[in-house]
Amino acid sequence: MSKEKQRLVLYYIMLILVIFSLLLGFHLIRKNKQKVSIEPVMADKKVSDTLEIKESQTVDQDLPLDSDIALELLEKVSVFNNYKAGSYYGYFYNQDYMDISMISDDAKVIIGITQNENFANDFLNATYDAVAPDGTPLDVIILSKEEIQEGINSFFGPNTSYTDTDLIDGSDYCGFSKFKFDNTRNVYMSDPITCSGFPKPYVDSKLMRVHQSGDKIELYVKIAYVKYETTNSEEVVQYIYKNKADLQYLEKHMLLSDNSYDINNILDKLDTFKFTFTLNSNNYYYFTKVEKI
């Protein structure tokens, strides 16, 4: 082979090697870019998912006392703090422990009544004109069975079972504990709520702590019973008790000369009740239990 042909062959071999090297280099660069752009994203997603699962499983924190959820749940369990609750006055504090399995049908009914949207204004929007059997015109509060069921469900959770029944106080009380069930029309009925006289006993309460743990929220509440007595001289005496059955009061105030009662001054003498609520799949918290601690 002539030298000229040898040089030409060598030239082509070198050209082929250069082209091959360039192609190999481009391939390696492209592969590295793909690895850099994909792997960190996948790693981030894996870490993010792990953190999210871990956070969901290990939520353990105190919530602000004035947070929306704290105020909403406190309002739900304060409905029996008013003397208009009649025989159900102070209901959640009558025992050291109570869960839904211990709550009677009539108590479920009255709890359902308290969750009605008209409850806050004494059912003014649920009061209708009616006529008594003797022809006397009267006003009557009417709540449907469906409304009661909705109220019960909103407190205890969906599909809570109960049996319709009259409430304890019948027609002999001025509060919301005298509803009767009319099984011919499937409605609950009551006379209008017109409690007269002042002052009325009430349960004073102080929210001390709100704790969230996993799917649970716990309210820690201090409570005091405030009672009144009118003397022969028409002076009103205010008595503060630890619980409803106590005979020995914690404090006594003559309202005309001493209006200094403040629950914050006696917190160390009061019982604490813990209300537990559980998060449902519909993202709503429902009552689970209450216990004295």
Side-chain angles (χ1 to χ4, degrees):
M1 181 182 295
S2 65
K3 290 183 177 182
E4 183 177 350
K5 287 184 177 182
Q6 288 178 351
R7 286 197 297 270
L8 184 61
V9 170
L10 182 61
Y11 172 79
Y12 282 121
I13 291 174
M14 291 178 65
L15 181 61
I16 291 171
L17 290 174
V18 170
I19 292 173
F20 178 79
S21 297
L22 290 174
L23 292 174
L24 180 61
F26 283 131
H27 175 72
L28 292 175
I29 291 173
R30 183 178 179 184
K31 185 175 181 180
N32 287 336
K33 283 185 177 181
Q34 289 178 339
K35 184 177 181 180
V36 169
S37 62
I38 293 176
E39 288 186 356
V41 172
M42 293 178 65
D44 287 346
K45 186 177 187 304
K46 185 176 181 180
V47 171
S48 175
D49 288 347
T50 302
L51 289 175
E52 184 176 348
I53 293 172
K54 183 178 180 181
E55 181 180 357
S56 174
Q57 293 176 342
T58 61
V59 172
D60 192 1
Q61 62 182 353
D62 282 348
L63 302 178
L65 299 182
D66 60 351
S67 60
D68 289 343
I69 186 63
L71 296 178
E72 177 185 345
L73 296 179
L74 182 62
E75 181 180 4
K76 290 176 76 70
V77 299
S78 298
V79 291
F80 299 123
N81 292 3
N82 189 307
Y83 198 61
K84 289 182 180 180
S87 297
Y88 304 91
Y89 173 59
Y91 181 78
F92 290 123
Y93 312 116
N94 292 337
Q95 301 182 57
D96 291 346
Y97 177 89
M98 184 187 304
D99 58 34
I100 188 171
S101 68
M102 304 169 65
I103 297 178
S104 61
D105 287 324
D106 61 303
K108 288 179 183 177
V109 168
I110 197 169
I111 289 172
I113 288 171
T114 67
Q115 305 308 303
N116 187 277
E117 61 182 356
N118 293 310
F119 176 73
N121 61 10
D122 285 348
F123 303 101
L124 293 179
N125 295 326
T127 302
Y128 300 88
D129 294 329
V131 178
D134 61 1
T136 303
L138 50 80
D139 293 333
V140 60
I141 303 171
I142 299 177
L143 300 176
S144 69
K145 174 183 170 68
E146 288 73 23
E147 288 178 294
I148 301 302
Q149 181 71 70
E150 288 174 5
I152 292 173
N153 290 347
S154 72
F155 193 91
F156 295 108
N159 304 315
T160 300
S161 62
Y162 79 101
T163 300
D164 290 299
T165 183
D166 294 343
L167 299 186
I168 291 177
D169 294 319
S171 58
D172 299 326
Y173 195 75
C174 70
F176 57 86
S177 60
K178 59 181 181 178
F179 276 84
K180 292 184 177 181
F181 182 61
D182 182 345
N183 58 14
T184 63
R185 289 177 289 180
N186 280 335
V187 298
Y188 280 85
M189 303 176 64
S190 172
D191 296 334
I193 300 169
T194 54
C195 292
S196 60
F198 176 83
K200 293 292 185 185
Y202 69 96
V203 177
D204 197 8
S205 64
K206 171 79 172 183
L207 182 60
M208 305 298 296
R209 184 188 181 199
V210 183
H211 186 72
Q212 181 181 18
S213 178
D215 64 347
K216 310 286 186 186
I217 287 184
E218 298 167 338
L219 303 186
Y220 294 78
V221 183
K222 293 273 190 180
I223 64 108
Y225 283 86
V226 182
K227 300 179 181 179
Y228 297 93
E229 180 180 301
T230 304
T231 66
N232 292 333
S233 59
E234 297 185 355
E235 184 170 6
V236 178
V237 186
Q238 181 186 53
Y239 296 97
I240 314 301
Y241 294 89
K242 184 177 180 179
N243 64 62
K244 187 168 61 175
D246 277 355
L247 299 178
Q248 181 62 45
Y249 55 81
L250 299 175
E251 290 187 350
K252 174 183 177 181
H253 302 274
M254 309 298 287
L255 291 189
L256 291 180
S257 58
D258 177 13
N259 197 20
S260 63
Y261 165 68
D262 186 339
I263 193 173
N264 293 299
N265 296 332
I266 57 171
L267 292 176
D268 60 330
K269 300 177 182 179
L270 301 177
D271 289 329
T272 301
F273 285 82
K274 181 177 73 172
F275 290 88
T276 301
F277 296 83
T278 304
L279 184 65
N280 192 274
S281 58
N282 61 2
N283 204 34
Y284 195 85
Y285 284 93
Y286 295 103
F287 171 88
T288 302
K289 61 183 178 180
V290 56
E291 54 196 316
K292 187 167 74 172
I293 59 174

